[in-house]
């Protein structure tokens, strides 16, 4: 809010609206709910709030049991370029995102059924899916004493220097789905949220904002 010409009331209203729902919404929706006439002003305000959220997340490391996976999500491209871009894995239409979830196993004392609860998430836009990239992220964002759960990708085959315990399972198995429950939920929610910006200028602008926030 420093050096901003917007009144404090506008900032507080935006914070309330942004934090009032877990699903989130686009800058256009925020503009409509605030009744503000200029989209660019609301976009910059929304972007600054996301940056502040990202800076807070960077102050702690994930601990105990941590799920780790990577995903491809659609990113902003100009409509005139979309037909020319490569399709499938490695497409310029997609961005790679590393997703981490600090989760704990819960057991029902009566039935013995197990479930998982989640405390914190971290998401970071990455340039590639190389092992060195994953190792650097794990060293920087996850406590060394944590138990890291991944699928059996070769990307995670050499994590001994990064964390004390590494558990890997095929993501298609029952154990794999259980171990990576919350990162898969996070990836699904991320893709669904980005679909709100699927058409037009609002999509392009907000995807840039989203990934600037993820990079924090």
């Amino acid at each position: 809010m420093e050096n901003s010409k917007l009144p404090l009331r506008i900032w507080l209203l935006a914070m309330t609206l942004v934090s009032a729902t877990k699903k989130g919404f686009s800058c256009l929706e925020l503009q409509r709910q605030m009744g503000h006439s200029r989209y660019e002003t609301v976009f910059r305000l929304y972007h600054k709030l996301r940056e502040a959220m990202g800076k807070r997340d960077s102050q702690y490391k994930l601990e105990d049991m941590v799920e780790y996976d990577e995903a491809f999500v659609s990113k902003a491209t100009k409509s005139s370029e979309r037909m020319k871009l490569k399709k499938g894995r490695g497409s310029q239409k997609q961005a790679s995102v590393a997703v981490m979830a600090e989760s704990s196993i819960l057991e029902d004392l009566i039935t013995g059924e197990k479930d998982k609860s989640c405390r914190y998430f971290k998401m970071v836009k990455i340039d590639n899916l190389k092992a060195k990239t994953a190792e650097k992220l794990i060293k920087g964002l996850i406590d060394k004493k944590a138990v890291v759960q991944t699928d059996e990708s070769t990307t995670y085959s050499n994590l001994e220097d990064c964390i004390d315990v590494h558990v890997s399972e095929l993501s298609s198995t029952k154990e794999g789905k259980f171990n990576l429950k919350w990162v898969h939920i996070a990836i699904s929610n991320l893709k669904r949220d980005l679909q709100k910006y699927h058409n037009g200028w609002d999509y392009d602008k907000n995807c840039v904002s989203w990934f600037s926030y993820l990079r924090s």
Side-chain angles (χ1 to χ4, degrees):
M1 294 183 287
E2 186 178 357
N3 299 323
S4 173
K5 295 181 180 179
L6 292 174
L8 180 61
R9 179 182 64 82
I10 296 296
W11 281 94
L12 294 177
L13 176 60
M15 291 178 191
T16 301
L17 293 172
V18 170
S19 60
T21 174
K22 294 181 179 180
K23 295 182 179 180
F25 42 75
S26 68
C27 285
L28 281 176
E29 180 61 25
L30 181 61
Q31 180 189 8
R32 284 191 288 268
Q33 294 200 29
M34 293 177 62
H36 203 282
S37 58
R38 290 183 58 81
Y39 173 88
E40 293 84 354
T41 301
V42 177
F43 171 77
R44 286 194 292 270
L45 183 153
Y46 204 175
H47 184 63
K48 287 180 180 179
L49 291 178
R50 283 173 172 161
E51 282 188 321
M53 293 164 65
K55 288 178 181 178
R56 175 193 174 279
D57 289 346
S58 66
Q59 295 175 358
Y60 62 84
K61 287 188 175 184
L62 300 180
E63 302 174 331
D64 300 326
M65 300 185 70
V66 181
E67 306 169 22
Y68 183 99
D69 203 359
E70 293 154 341
F72 295 108
V73 297
S74 299
K75 65 179 181 180
T77 53
K78 294 180 180 179
S79 56
S80 59
E81 297 177 351
R82 288 172 190 167
M83 297 300 294
K84 303 177 184 178
L85 299 179
K86 177 184 175 183
K87 296 182 180 180
R89 187 179 180 90
S91 171
Q92 300 94 329
K93 297 180 183 179
Q94 295 181 322
S96 302
V97 179
V99 183
M100 291 150 274
E102 181 183 309
S103 60
S104 301
I105 297 177
L106 304 175
E107 184 174 354
D108 191 305
L109 296 178
I110 299 175
T111 65
E113 292 184 359
K114 294 183 178 180
D115 199 356
K116 299 186 83 175
S117 66
C118 182
R119 189 164 69 139
Y120 294 126
F121 288 103
K122 283 185 182 291
M123 293 186 183
V124 182
K125 181 178 177 295
I126 54 179
D127 295 327
N128 56 64
L129 302 180
K130 295 180 180 179
K132 290 184 178 180
T133 301
E135 291 166 13
K136 182 178 179 181
L137 281 178
I138 290 173
K139 283 182 178 180
L141 302 178
I142 300 176
D143 186 84
K144 183 172 175 58
K145 296 180 181 179
V147 176
V148 174
Q149 299 173 313
T150 70
D151 60 27
E152 290 194 341
S153 169
T154 54
T155 301
Y156 319 122
S157 61
N158 189 27
L159 299 180
E160 292 82 3
D161 295 333
C162 305
I163 38 89
D164 286 348
V165 181
H166 174 215
V167 178
S168 62
E169 292 283 353
L170 286 172
S171 58
S172 58
T173 64
K174 181 179 179 180
E175 292 80 6
K177 291 177 181 178
F178 181 80
N179 288 349
L180 300 176
K181 173 183 175 178
W182 281 104
V183 292
H184 289 167
I185 290 174
I187 291 169
S188 177
N189 289 344
L190 172 62
K191 291 182 177 181
R192 183 177 60 190
D193 204 39
L194 288 175
Q195 286 176 357
K196 298 171 185 174
Y197 316 121
H198 190 65
N199 293 309
W201 186 62
D202 189 39
Y203 168 72
D204 292 344
K205 291 278 188 175
N206 279 283
C207 277
V208 174
S209 178
W210 245 110
F211 287 121
S212 295
Y213 166 59
L214 291 177
R215 194 178 293 113
S216 301

